[in-house]
Amino acid sequence: MRSRVTWDLCWAWYHALPEAQQAQIARMGFGHLLSVRPFHLDIPYLEALRERWEEDCKAFIMPWGHMIPTLEDVAYLTGLPVQGEPVVGLERRDYYDDIVELLGPEFVAGRRRPIRSILLGSLSEAVGLRGRRRGPLESLNEFYAGVQGALDLGDRSEERSVRIFASYLFGRLLFAMQSSQMNCKFVLLLRDLAQAGRYAWGAAMLGHLFSLLPSSSQRSQSTGGFTPFLQIWGYTRFSMGRGTLVEGRQMMVPLMTRWDVAPDPRVTDRRVGDVRVALDHYPHDQVVWTPYVGEADASHPAVAAGRPLLDRHLLLLCLGTCEVLYLELVVRTLGWHQPAIEVPSLGREGHSRRQFFAEDRDWGADHGSTVAYWRDGGEQVIRVTDLQDSSAYMEDYQARYAGRLRLDRRVMPESQTIRLLEG
């Protein structure tokens, strides 16, 4: 498996932009995320996670119960806004005129209509960064210096330069797909840059990630979505050796900034099978359900603003996709005991489809009740107060997923289990 994100270039490009453009991008809601220095993507770890994704309940099937990344995780880890306007809007059959207006005529030169997607490489090429990739022995600072020297914004306006960068950020990081092209519908969100700062980008990112996990786990050798978030989310719950919290970064925001992930020379030959076994044998009592205890909301703007949504059942919207956040399956993340729940009764409220249309349409208008559900704040998840523990839930859970809970059934010596967990 390989990830489709190009984080190094997104980070270096952003920091090489003039300060006024950086400030505009920060006002759009991306400043905290782009303050995080890129780290190593732990591909075996991510692949072992995606194998455990269950589409029916939008959750990872772990030996100790359902686990779901939530809006609280998004807000704390990435700093992306999780509240605000839903990321929905107009979808066209042809984006030719929009691309000329918002990005520039060079992006459609020589192409036949209708135009519905653009090559992500054309965005970096337009500013002198074609083919820029960080070398295996190149430090991040060295790579940044090279990008800074090569960046050429030409005589473009500030708004157009910001739109070109934000389009690349969408296609290569925040809403990365499993291809090298980006659907032009994302560009329409950048027409009004002031309005762009009012979108719930964090909720859209999470919904987009959910929508890609089923397809990537079944058919593709690459995975889309903002996988660095998923990686650190896992580390906060069941860290297994690759990610470490760095001394001296305890007060940095967002929390992804506090982590350092690098290839471990002792385990360079680690494979997904090793991680799979380590997850199978991970001690249940060491799983962290509430990793943000002690963090003050005032230090995390995205958390403070999004707090009213963090205990709600929600539908996550992202331009034609609608994914369900079944928070009632993981109330242990709220510090509560998990009641038994009949998973099939949750239904399939989400409907994620990617298709091009024969005529222009407004997805938000077509699904007005879904958009209204988001704007109303979803539904409150109710705490069951008379529970003493989560044992009834675990009995039902183990019976339902008996065939999936232990992908590896070997009885292992303690020393070998410890080595796998450390690796």
Side-chain angles (χ1 to χ4, degrees):
M1 191 195 86
R2 63 186 179 124
S3 175
R4 300 297 300 189
V5 302
T6 310
W7 193 0
D8 291 343
L9 184 54
C10 288
W11 181 88
W13 183 347
Y14 169 73
H15 288 275
L17 289 171
E19 288 187 9
Q21 295 184 26
Q22 290 186 38
Q24 176 67 67
I25 292 164
R27 288 193 296 271
M28 292 164 65
F30 308 124
H32 285 299
L33 175 62
L34 289 164
S35 71
V36 181
R37 289 174 67 89
F39 48 71
H40 173 72
L41 288 183
D42 192 346
I43 297 300
Y45 188 85
L46 290 168
E47 187 163 3
L49 277 180
R50 74 174 187 169
E51 288 178 350
R52 293 174 176 270
W53 182 255
E54 177 68 32
E55 172 66 359
D56 285 343
C57 58
K58 309 293 182 181
F60 293 105
I61 305 304
M62 296 299 188
W64 48 83
H66 295 97
M67 295 203 86
I68 305 173
T70 67
L71 291 187
E72 182 179 43
D73 297 306
V74 174
Y76 270 116
L77 294 177
T78 71
L80 290 168
V82 297
Q83 91 300 336
E85 284 297 300
V87 179
V88 297
L90 190 66
E91 299 185 40
R92 300 193 190 281
R93 64 174 298 276
D94 183 9
Y95 295 89
Y96 185 101
D97 295 333
D98 300 295
I99 296 301
V100 171
E101 175 194 353
L102 300 176
L103 300 183
E106 63 268 32
F107 294 99
V108 297
R111 296 189 58 185
R112 299 173 61 183
R113 305 182 75 157
I115 289 179
R116 294 165 170 170
S117 62
I118 56 176
L119 285 171
L120 288 161
S122 66
L123 296 168
S124 57
E125 180 180 5
V127 294
L129 300 179
R130 179 180 183 180
R132 284 276 166 177
R133 294 291 184 273
R134 183 180 169 191
L137 301 179
E138 189 176 17
S139 72
L140 187 59
N141 289 338
E142 290 171 340
F143 177 69
Y144 164 69
V147 168
Q148 187 179 38
L151 184 67
D152 180 10
L153 301 178
D155 57 357
R156 293 184 182 88
S157 68
E158 178 180 305
E159 285 197 346
R160 185 165 285 182
S161 294
V162 167
R163 290 191 187 105
I164 291 173
F165 169 79
S167 298
Y168 192 84
L169 175 71
F170 289 167
R172 282 300 194 197
L173 193 65
L174 203 57
F175 305 112
M177 297 294 292
Q178 292 157 270
S179 72
S180 59
Q181 298 200 20
M182 181 188 70
N183 192 313
C184 292
K185 62 187 178 182
F186 284 101
V187 178
L188 298 189
L189 299 171
L190 303 172
R191 184 181 301 280
D192 183 344
L193 296 183
Q195 169 65 23
R198 294 191 281 269
Y199 285 121
W201 295 113
M205 179 276 288
L206 191 61
H208 178 79
L209 182 64
F210 284 5
S211 73
L212 290 179
L213 279 168
S215 60
S216 65
S217 63
Q218 295 171 10
R219 297 184 294 273
S220 176
Q221 292 304 306
S222 65
T223 185
F226 184 34
T227 49
F229 158 75
L230 186 59
Q231 181 174 317
I232 298 299
W233 168 80
Y235 288 163
T236 63
R237 299 315 204 269
F238 38 89
S239 181
M240 295 192 299
R242 285 293 175 91
T244 57
L245 284 165
V246 180
E247 291 294 329
R249 297 187 188 173
Q250 291 88 343
M251 302 305 294
M252 297 182 73
V253 174
L255 294 190
M256 283 179 71
T257 310
R258 305 179 189 179
W259 286 81
D260 184 39
V261 188
D264 188 335
R266 299 172 301 170
V267 288
T268 53
D269 61 343
R270 184 169 73 156
R271 298 290 184 268
V272 63
D274 297 332
V275 186
R276 184 185 300 133
V277 174
L279 283 173
D280 291 338
H281 293 270
Y282 197 84
H284 296 194
D285 60 354
Q286 292 184 22
V287 175
V288 180
W289 289 98
T290 54
Y292 311 118
V293 174
E295 295 287 341
D297 282 8
S299 301
H300 299 269
V303 178
R307 176 62 67 184
L309 294 179
L310 301 188
D311 60 353
R312 315 284 291 185
H313 172 95
L314 294 164
L315 299 177
L316 307 174
L317 309 179
C318 182
L319 287 178
T321 67
C322 175
E323 294 289 332
V324 189
L325 176 59
Y326 286 129
L327 190 62
E328 56 266 50
L329 284 181
V330 288
V331 297
R332 283 180 284 183
T333 64
L334 300 173
W336 308 342
H337 292 305
Q338 179 69 56
I341 187 167
E342 183 61 32
V343 175
S345 69
L346 296 175
R348 294 181 61 92
E349 301 159 274
H351 40 87
S352 290
R353 296 183 299 274
R354 288 181 185 80
Q355 57 187 12
F356 293 116
F357 301 103
E359 57 185 19
D360 295 355
R361 59 175 287 182
D362 188 330
W363 190 94
D366 292 348
H367 299 83
S369 60
T370 301
V371 174
Y373 187 82
W374 167 264
R375 289 185 171 141
D376 291 341
E379 298 177 55
Q380 183 80 41
V381 175
I382 304 301
R383 180 179 184 178
V384 180
T385 57
D386 59 350
L387 287 177
Q388 301 299 313
D389 53 37
S390 302
S391 57
Y393 159 78
M394 282 305 302
E395 289 179 9
D396 291 347
Y397 179 84
Q398 290 170 352
R400 178 176 177 80
Y401 297 108
R404 294 193 58 183
L405 291 182
R406 296 294 297 271
L407 298 180
D408 180 274
R409 299 176 182 276
R410 288 175 287 174
V411 177
M412 302 178 66
E414 183 179 0
S415 60
Q416 187 177 359
T417 302
I418 291 173
R419 180 184 64 80
L420 286 168
L421 292 174
E422 290 177 342

